[in-house]
Amino acid sequence: MLSRLYIRNYAIIREVEVSFDKGLNIITGETGAGKSILVGALGLILGARSDSSALLDTSSKCLVEGTFLHPEHASVQAFFTENELDPEKEIILRREISPAGKSRAFINDTPVNLSQLQQLASLLVDLHQQFETLDLGQNSFQLDMLDALAGQLPLRKTFTGVWHRYRSAQQEWERLEAEKAREQKEFDYYQFLFQELEDAAFQPGEIEELEAEQQLLEHAGQVTVALQRVHMALDADEQPVTQLLRSLSQQLDAVSPFHSGIGSLVERLRSTQIELKDIAGEAERIASGVNMDEKRRAEVAERLSLGYKLLKKHQVSETIELIRIQETISERLRKVASLDTDSAGMLAEAERLRKEAEQLAGKLSEGRKKVIPGFEVQVHQLLERVGMPNARIRIRMEKEPLSVWGMDAVDFLFDANKSGRFEPLRKVASGGEFSRLLLCIKTLIGGSLAMPVMIFDEIDSGISGEAARQVGILMKEMGRSHQVISITHQPQIAARADAHFYVFKQETSEGIRTQLRRLEPAERVDSIARMMSGENPSATALNNARELIAAN
């Protein structure tokens, strides 16, 4: 329910605030007073495009704000959850337009984009304007109506869930097939790369170790000679260094009692002798282990050549990087091999879901077919009430490929004059006919669909008398279960109001401004009488107005 509408600095409205009631809210006023401006302002919080030309005062911003009582609809709850917004008892939609033309939208004071505002507004408000009843000509809306009348909206929800899972499975299968085809093109190449690396079988750090070994093999003679010279000089010559140090330490040891500092020198010489003897032994051991095998030298050179070739090919510099590349290629090859299994499994799942969706779609089709005859009869009866006794509607339903709506294509055909020639509604119905037909249909399905606040902008144009009275009755009936806000010129409709608002122009020091106020009972009588007979209603017109209101 729209409980409050506030407008500031829009068109010729300086500032207007109105609180709407439950049931049927009627807005009347003279032509040009600004009734449609209200609808234009309301359109802003429903997500309509705007610019600075809508501003009355171009030095300050325009503000339109609508306050709605939070409806207990699953779709509204889902919107708040999906958009990570906090639901509150009231939903406030606000739109601001700056003098520069920049627009900002808010939901409960939280900034949102225009798409989010439009999405929520569509769940709260059904704005029905003459010549803007395009939904009725859309297959989706027509199927919604039939499913609502057939009482199979829960079945439709189940079907929709299965359909989306089917489409997801089908899209995933298509993705896997595309990936498999893409990977298969390069499979042989990567298989060759993997085999080449696997045959080489390099171990971590192997190339680096081979490089060190090659250096040693190429300089084995020099290394051996140098090590042997060290060994000989220190411990194997005729007068080796270690023997000289031993002799010197013995000489000092003999005179150590005569000076306190000599003992430490003796110990240092002995330590040095021991260290040098150890060095000599280590040099001999290393020299004996140096391999000058030409065969090994050739083997190392050949292995290194293979390693350098692979390093260059894969543009890396270390053995560990080659091993990682081998592991990556191996994983890629395993993935390609698993794609066949994954694709086959996903195809089977998509096929299972398709069959399930087709079964549910078949049930939906049966339910739709059952309600069509009765629905057509009820619409004809309501059309006669609203002044279209010769109009007929026929619903054509044909089978089509499975889609999110089921397996049915629906078309509402219309014949305005019992000519027997039925044409698609969108092609032959005039704006007034379209509007009244949609009013009749919404009356029938209002209790079946979770319809939002319904706003009608002069859809009664072109009718009068009994037809207008019947339109008023239908709106009144809709107002028992929904909030209905209607702009009208028809006294027969205005008399049915639960709340009657009057739009008027007022001359101020700043110019002509639109104002809006709720009429008291006595004012309603006068306003409706003026709608029937003009500015100065007669006593008869006033009595007729009272009778219209009393008949409500």
Side-chain angles (χ1 to χ4, degrees), residues 162 165-170 172-173 342-356:
V162 174
R165 293 200 301 276
Y166 157 65
R167 285 295 298 143
S168 294
Q170 187 180 50
E172 177 61 12
W173 172 74
D342 294 344
S343 178
M346 190 55 63
L347 179 60
E349 176 65 5
E351 183 64 16
R352 184 190 68 78
L353 289 168
R354 182 187 64 79
K355 290 179 180 178
E356 183 179 353

Side-chain angles (χ1 to χ4, degrees), residues 163-391:
W163 158 262
H164 285 303
R165 293 200 301 276
Y166 157 65
R167 285 295 298 143
S168 294
Q170 187 180 50
Q171 290 167 0
E172 177 61 12
W173 172 74
E174 291 171 354
R175 186 194 68 78
L176 288 170
E177 283 293 295
E179 185 179 358
K180 186 172 71 172
R182 186 171 58 253
E183 293 288 350
Q184 197 64 48
K185 290 180 180 178
E186 300 178 342
F187 180 82
D188 291 341
Y189 172 65
Y190 283 105
Q191 180 66 47
F192 169 76
L193 293 180
F194 174 77
Q195 194 62 51
E196 187 177 44
L197 289 169
E198 186 175 50
D199 291 343
F202 279 104
Q203 300 302 310
E206 182 180 349
I207 294 176
E208 291 76 16
E209 292 172 0
L210 288 171
E211 287 177 327
E213 185 179 357
Q214 186 183 54
Q215 287 292 314
L216 179 58
L217 287 169
E218 289 179 350
H219 301 87
Q222 293 174 262
V223 171
T224 301
V225 169
L227 289 171
Q228 287 175 345
R229 285 177 178 172
V230 169
H231 172 255
M232 291 294 292
L234 293 177
D235 202 39
D237 276 347
E238 290 181 2
Q239 290 185 332
V241 174
T242 55
Q243 185 177 345
L244 177 61
L245 290 175
R246 184 169 60 250
S247 175
L248 292 173
S249 65
Q250 289 173 348
Q251 292 176 32
L252 285 176
D253 188 45
V255 297
S256 62
F258 309 120
H259 194 286
S260 61
I262 296 176
S264 63
L265 291 176
V266 172
E267 290 300 321
R268 290 169 66 186
L269 282 172
R270 287 175 178 171
S271 296
T272 302
Q273 177 205 346
I274 293 170
E275 178 65 18
L276 290 177
K277 189 171 184 65
D278 185 64
I279 290 173
E282 183 68 13
E284 182 182 31
R285 184 189 65 77
I286 294 174
S288 65
V290 173
N291 188 355
M292 293 186 287
D293 187 352
E294 288 298 323
K295 181 180 179 182
R296 176 58 184 167
R297 182 176 175 180
E299 290 174 353
V300 169
E302 183 179 359
R303 184 72 171 159
L304 274 175
S305 176
L306 175 60
Y308 291 151
K309 174 184 174 183
L310 292 175
L311 289 173
K312 182 178 180 180
K313 184 173 187 175
H314 293 282
Q315 298 182 351
V316 293
S317 59
E318 296 181 353
T319 313
I320 191 64
E321 292 176 289
L322 279 182
I323 294 172
R324 288 171 183 158
I325 289 172
Q326 181 180 351
E327 292 171 349
T328 300
I329 295 174
S330 177
E331 179 60 30
R332 186 165 187 170
L333 293 175
R334 283 195 297 270
K335 184 179 179 182
V336 174
S338 69
L339 282 175
D340 275 330
T341 302
D342 294 344
S343 178
M346 190 55 63
L347 179 60
E349 176 65 5
E351 183 64 16
R352 184 190 68 78
L353 289 168
R354 182 187 64 79
K355 290 179 180 178
E356 183 179 353
E358 286 181 345
Q359 290 176 350
L360 293 171
K363 293 180 180 179
L364 286 173
S365 296
E366 292 174 6
R368 292 163 181 169
K369 289 176 183 176
K370 288 179 181 178
V371 299
I372 286 176
F375 178 59
E376 291 174 342
V377 170
Q378 289 177 297
V379 171
H380 296 159
Q381 292 171 346
L382 290 177
L383 286 173
E384 187 170 351
R385 287 176 58 184
V386 298
M388 299 171 63
N390 297 319

Side-chain angles (χ1 to χ4, degrees), residues 362-527:
K363 293 180 180 179
L364 286 173
S365 296
E366 292 174 6
R368 292 163 181 169
K369 289 176 183 176
K370 288 179 181 178
V371 299
I372 286 176
F375 178 59
E376 291 174 342
V377 170
Q378 289 177 297
V379 171
H380 296 159
Q381 292 171 346
L382 290 177
L383 286 173
E384 187 170 351
R385 287 176 58 184
V386 298
M388 299 171 63
N390 297 319
R392 292 291 181 270
I393 188 172
R394 179 180 296 170
I395 301 176
R396 180 174 62 194
M397 191 170 80
E398 298 176 343
K399 189 172 183 179
E400 69 170 9
L402 186 67
S403 73
V404 70
W405 308 109
M407 295 189 296
D408 302 316
V410 173
D411 207 351
F412 280 33
L413 306 177
F414 188 67
D415 178 6
N417 301 298
K418 288 186 179 179
S419 66
R421 294 191 299 273
F422 287 86
E423 297 290 341
L425 183 63
R426 67 182 74 86
K427 293 182 179 180
V428 296
S430 66
E433 290 169 340
F434 217 135
S435 297
R436 278 178 280 169
L437 175 58
L438 187 55
L439 174 62
C440 295
I441 291 174
K442 286 185 176 181
T443 300
L444 290 175
I445 66 172
S448 302
L449 284 175
M451 298 182 72
V453 177
M454 285 180 281
I455 301 176
F456 296 90
D457 182 13
E458 300 186 13
I459 70 162
D460 49 31
S461 178
I463 62 172
S464 60
E466 179 60 19
R469 188 178 78 87
Q470 292 295 332
V471 169
I473 293 173
L474 291 181
M475 286 188 174
K476 184 71 172 182
E477 292 174 359
M478 294 175 69
R480 294 193 182 102
S481 56
H482 302 81
Q483 184 189 45
V484 178
I485 301 173
S486 177
I487 295 174
T488 183
H489 291 289
Q490 299 296 336
Q492 297 92 334
I493 296 175
R496 299 281 170 180
D498 294 304
H500 189 162
F501 301 87
Y502 185 69
V503 180
F504 59 97
K505 287 183 178 179
Q506 187 176 52
E507 187 171 356
T508 69
S509 59
E510 299 175 331
I512 302 297
R513 299 291 179 261
T514 290
Q515 299 292 334
L516 175 71
R517 64 185 177 87
R518 180 168 178 164
L519 298 180
E520 298 298 329
E523 293 176 312
R524 286 193 65 206
V525 172
D526 183 69
S527 178

Side-chain angles (χ1 to χ4, degrees), residues 1-45:
M1 169 181 162
L2 175 60
S3 61
R4 171 182 169 270
L5 178 65
Y6 176 77
I7 305 169
R8 187 178 72 207
N9 195 34
Y10 178 77
I12 59 172
I13 297 176
R14 170 62 63 188
E15 186 174 37
V16 164
E17 182 174 5
V18 56
S19 296
F20 293 105
D21 281 2
K22 296 179 181 179
L24 179 58
N25 296 262
I26 291 295
I27 300 174
T28 63
E30 295 182 359
T31 301
K35 298 185 296 299
S36 293
I37 293 176
L38 290 174
V39 177
L42 183 60
L44 290 179
I45 61 172

